[in-house]
Amino acid sequence: MPLAFEFASPGPIIFQIGNLAIRWYGLLIASAVLLGVTLSQYLAERRGVDPEAIGDLAIWLVLGAIPAARLYYVLFQWPNYADNPGQIFAIWKGGIAIHGAILGGLLAALLFARVNRISFWMLTDLVAPSVILGQAIGRWGNFFNSEAFGKPTDLPWKLFIPLDRRPPEYIEFDYFHPTFLYESLWNLLVFALLLGLFFWSLNRTRPLKLGTLFLVYLIAYSLGRVWIEGLRTDSLMFVGLRIAQFVSVGAISLGVLGLVWLYVFDRPLPDVVSTADTKE
């Protein structure tokens, strides 16, 4: 078949010298951060915002997002770490949760906006396209680590999972849904949507209201995550529920309510500074 292809990870390590190992996961995260900062600075410049502010914000976001992403994952996988706490900090082996990163990043951005008296929603609009692009890149880390895959499948596109990485209940299966690919492609579509809205809004007499891009990001990303998460075999669970689906439904609801507030009630979103005080 024209669309038939098989994925098989070459392994998580790019190369190793002694005890020093360079891993795909770390390289992808670093690349996503660098590319994201560059893109957000470019978008800030187009909006008449000082790009240096985005460079400063990036440090806050990394310090807030990555530890929060790891903490979120560890909390919901605590039985796996309780007897081996040294592995809690082994982030290079994978095991971070994007919803934790979003929460940590939002808190860091809120503090940064308050300290620097910059609109929080303006910042979120400028970084939202970079965030979803980073998510598209970061999902390939799951591929190299042979993790976050879906249920067994015989579809023409499929992912080979080594025996030692398969769940016990699927030990006899070789091929699984490449959910990392599904989400990466979905995120690229969301990225194109956000960039399209950004440039469409630039020269209009009535540009998009502050917070719009971030709310669209919440809705669009979460819609994809809901159905993709249903295919996965390693979802974080709580009282029998897939946490990512529960959080995604909540994010969709908040995003829709925010857009209704902006465009139906014609009210601005609460911010840390007034429009008059916003520094651009």
Side-chain angles (χ1 to χ4, degrees):
M1 293 180 63
L3 292 179
F5 49 87
E6 174 187 324
F7 292 96
S9 170
I13 297 176
I14 304 174
F15 65 87
Q16 186 167 356
I17 303 175
N19 293 325
L20 176 63
I22 305 301
R23 295 175 176 266
W24 284 106
Y25 208 107
L27 177 63
L28 288 166
I29 291 176
S31 300
V33 170
L34 180 61
L35 185 59
V37 171
T38 303
L39 174 61
S40 289
Q41 287 184 317
Y42 170 73
L43 297 181
E45 203 169 6
R46 293 298 304 270
R47 280 281 302 270
V49 178
D50 182 8
E52 292 300 319
I54 300 300
D56 295 337
L57 172 63
I59 299 173
W60 289 59
L61 292 179
V62 170
L63 293 177
I66 294 181
R70 182 60 170 175
L71 178 61
Y72 186 101
Y73 181 85
V74 169
L75 286 177
F76 288 109
Q77 291 280 58
W78 181 245
N80 296 334
Y81 293 95
D83 296 329
N84 196 6
Q87 290 298 310
I88 291 175
F89 302 100
I91 193 171
W92 56 88
K93 294 183 179 180
I96 59 176
I98 186 59
H99 285 129
I102 293 172
L103 292 172
L106 285 175
L107 178 58
L110 184 62
L111 293 174
F112 179 87
R114 183 175 292 277
V115 169
N116 292 277
R117 298 198 59 75
I118 301 176
S119 167
F120 168 75
W121 296 110
M122 179 185 68
L123 292 177
T124 62
D125 283 348
L126 292 175
V127 302
S130 296
V131 170
I132 195 65
L133 178 60
Q135 290 175 241
I137 295 171
R139 273 301 170 197
W140 283 85
N142 299 140
F143 164 66
F144 289 107
N145 282 355
S146 294
E147 63 184 5
F149 49 86
K151 296 174 183 177
T153 183
D154 286 325
L155 288 172
W157 55 92
K158 52 194 175 183
L159 174 66
F160 174 78
I161 295 297
L163 189 64
D164 63 335
R165 301 293 294 176
R166 299 173 199 167
E169 63 271 29
Y170 298 125
I171 200 71
E172 73 275 17
F173 295 95
D174 292 327
Y175 298 104
F176 298 78
H177 278 284
T179 47
F180 82 92
L181 178 65
Y182 300 163
E183 189 166 332
S184 183
L185 293 175
W186 180 269
N187 290 346
L188 287 175
L189 290 174
V190 177
F191 171 68
L193 171 64
L194 295 181
L195 271 192
L197 288 173
F198 178 88
F199 287 108
W200 175 82
S201 175
L202 272 184
N203 299 315
R204 297 183 66 84
T205 54
R206 296 188 64 184
L208 295 175
K209 298 179 180 181
L210 290 181
T212 299
L213 283 184
F214 179 72
L215 294 174
V216 171
Y217 158 77
L218 279 185
I219 296 169
Y221 166 65
S222 299
L223 284 171
R225 186 63 188 269
V226 166
W227 72 267
I228 294 170
E229 191 69 23
L231 294 173
R232 286 178 54 172
T233 60
D234 63 344
S235 298
L236 298 178
M237 306 293 289
F238 183 69
V239 295
L241 298 175
R242 294 177 185 263
I243 297 168
Q245 288 182 322
F246 180 79
V247 173
S248 294
V249 170
I252 294 168
S253 302
L254 288 175
V256 170
L257 289 174
L259 291 178
V260 169
W261 182 262
L262 283 174
Y263 291 98
V264 177
F265 293 101
D266 197 23
R267 300 284 300 277
L269 297 170
D271 210 335
V272 297
V273 295
S274 67
T275 304
D277 292 335
T278 299
K279 290 167 32 177
E280 297 191 5

